[in-house]
Amino acid sequence: MTRISALVLAVGLLAGCGASVQPTAEANAPVTVTNCGKEVSYPLPQRPVAYDVSGAEKMFSLGLADRMRGYVMNKLGDPSIAGSPWREDYTKVQRLGTARITREIVVDAKADWVLAGWGSGFSEERGITPQLLDQVGIRSYMHTETCWNYGDKKTDVPALDALYADLENLGRIFKVEQRATDLVAELKGRVAKVRQSVPANTQPAKVFVYDSGTDQPYTAGRHAAPTDIINTAGGRNVMDGLGKGWATVGWEPVVQAAPDVIIIVDYADQPAADKRKFLESLPALKSVPAVQQGRYFVMSYGDAVSGPRNVKGAEDFAAYLRSVGR
């Protein structure tokens, strides 16, 4: 047998045994998805970088950890890593920064694709935008949840629908469509069960989300994930009229809203127990039903920002509401 014949035979045997072979040009062909209201074509990313819990865990949930160049996450999010179902993936993928993502970080990492949100990652002020990255040959994808405030075609999509859209788009971009389809179906099924658990003929519990702040509270507005989480669980965010994502408000609107429950977002800068003590120390809040009745729910930062853990956040908060008769 000639060497050429032997090589042909060996390749044929490997293919028959299901061994991996070089990807075809078709497998690597660019795909087009809708991102922030625009059709965008993406070649298959080779060195992707994700920002924060939102970006990292959307990638991890689709089994893409081994294909990532790295992730960037503020150290304030570290407790979310410890409680993540993908904490092992965090240890396998290189952490490229412990503060905000920057253009310098992704350029130094030789990234060819970046996943982040508008305002939470991409920013004109900080010099890292999809347009600026395009100039240095780096493609980008914007979290759909943040598209309400980006570009010419602003889109207002509820947080859970935005999550599903991102997972399906990432599935197409990274050629793992079936994995994305299965994951979205699972998440939608769990959300449906939560909604079915909401008691009939009851008024939604009024809920205030407390992230941080002393002089003024920093909270979740209509476009932030907790609003959809709260709605799914059977409550109503008392700041859902605030046409922003995360924003600062005054204490007086909180008092006037008279929330039945306060969600405290938990991350590394201040323990949730200390945040509760601070809220209870404010004379203005003593008339608020949530404070009078001690109704607080602690939500992990990882559950509160756009990502697959939003569904767990809805499940856990629904369980809490049911436990207090709501």
Side-chain angles (χ1 to χ4, degrees), residues 80 207 209-211 225-227 229-230 233 246 262-267 272 275 296-305 309-310 312-318:
S80 296
V207 184
V209 179
Y210 179 60
D211 176 280
T227 295
I229 291 171
I230 292 166
W246 295 87
I262 295 175
I263 290 177
I264 296 175
V265 181
D266 189 32
Y267 47 91
K275 291 182 180 180
Y296 302 91
F297 177 81
V298 177
M299 181 176 289
S300 167
Y301 173 79
D303 293 353
V305 296
R309 272 202 270 174
N310 291 160
K312 177 181 179 296
E315 291 169 335
D316 291 348
F317 187 54

Side-chain angles (χ1 to χ4, degrees), residues 237-271:
N237 180 2
V238 296
M239 295 298 162
D240 62 4
L242 182 65
K244 296 181 181 293
W246 295 87
T248 299
V249 298
W251 286 113
E252 186 57 30
V254 179
V255 174
Q256 293 177 351
D260 303 304
V261 177
I262 295 175
I263 290 177
I264 296 175
V265 181
D266 189 32
Y267 47 91
D269 72 327
Q270 183 182 21

Side-chain angles (χ1 to χ4, degrees), residues 15-34:
C17 293
S20 61
V21 295
Q22 288 296 320
T24 64
E26 182 179 352
N28 281 328
V31 298
T32 300
V33 303
T34 300

